[in-house]
Amino acid sequence: PHVAPATGQLDVTAAYPRWDPHRHYLVTVLTYLKKIFYVKTFGPDAKANLDAKTLSETNPDAYRQQVDRCVRESQKAVFVNNTEDGCTARFTEETLSHQVLRDLLQRQITDPAQVNKQVVLNIIDKASKV
C-alpha cells in the first residue's frame, strides 16, 4: 500500500510530508522503511496503492501472494542501474574487492564509536590495492 504500482516508488510522504535535509537523513528513511515491513494493518496514510490496501484488508492470503510475487520480480532487477536518473549510487554483484573491504572493516573497526571519515577512507584505500 505504500508503493506506487505505476512507478514502484515508496511513498514516504506520511513520514516526511516536507523533506528537511537538516532533520531527515537516509537512516531515518531506512528506519521508516523497516517499520512499514512489520505493519499488520495499514492506516489512512497508506495511499500510494489503494488496491493493495483493500486486498490486504479483504483477502490477506491473496495480498501475501501478491507481495511475494513483487519481491521475486524486484530481486530479478536488483542490479539494474538506471544511468539516466542522475543517481550516483550503483549496485553490482559482490566482487573480491567488496569481500576484502568488508573483511578489513570487520577486523579494523572494533569500536564503531571511534570511526571517522579518515579511518574508513584509509580502509577503502587498502581494499582498492588488492
Side-chain angles (χ1 to χ4, degrees):
H2 291 282
V3 177
T7 64
Q9 292 185 350
L10 174 67
D11 178 14
V12 295
T13 57
Y16 309 100
R18 186 164 186 269
W19 183 259
D20 179 354
H22 299 290
R23 288 184 30 222
H24 303 130
Y25 304 99
L26 178 59
V27 69
T28 61
V29 175
L30 294 174
T31 302
Y32 174 72
L33 177 64
K34 180 180 175 184
K35 178 182 145 192
I36 65 172
F37 274 105
Y38 294 101
V39 171
K40 301 289 184 206
T41 59
F42 299 99
D45 60 325
K47 307 179 225 184
N49 187 340
L50 295 177
D51 290 340
K53 181 179 177 183
T54 301
L55 187 61
S56 74
E57 295 165 348
T58 60
N59 192 340
D61 290 335
Y63 171 75
R64 183 68 190 157
Q65 290 173 355
Q66 181 67 24
V67 168
D68 290 344
R69 273 194 300 279
C70 287
V71 168
R72 283 192 303 277
E73 286 300 313
S74 69
Q75 287 172 334
K76 290 178 187 177
V78 73
F79 298 119
V80 175
N81 293 295
N82 182 354
T83 58
E84 299 171 5
D85 64 4
C87 182
T88 57
R90 296 288 175 250
F91 298 96
T92 63
E93 293 188 54
E94 187 175 88
T95 64
L96 177 60
S97 63
H98 296 125
Q99 295 168 0
V100 170
L101 179 58
R102 182 181 55 246
D103 292 344
L104 284 169
L105 287 166
Q106 288 174 339
R107 275 185 290 186
Q108 294 185 19
I109 298 178
T110 55
D111 181 5
Q114 300 293 326
V115 176
N116 62 47
K117 180 180 177 181
Q118 194 55 51
V119 169
V120 173
L121 289 174
N122 289 340
I123 294 171
I124 291 171
D125 185 53
K126 285 181 186 177
S128 69
K129 294 177 181 173
V130 171

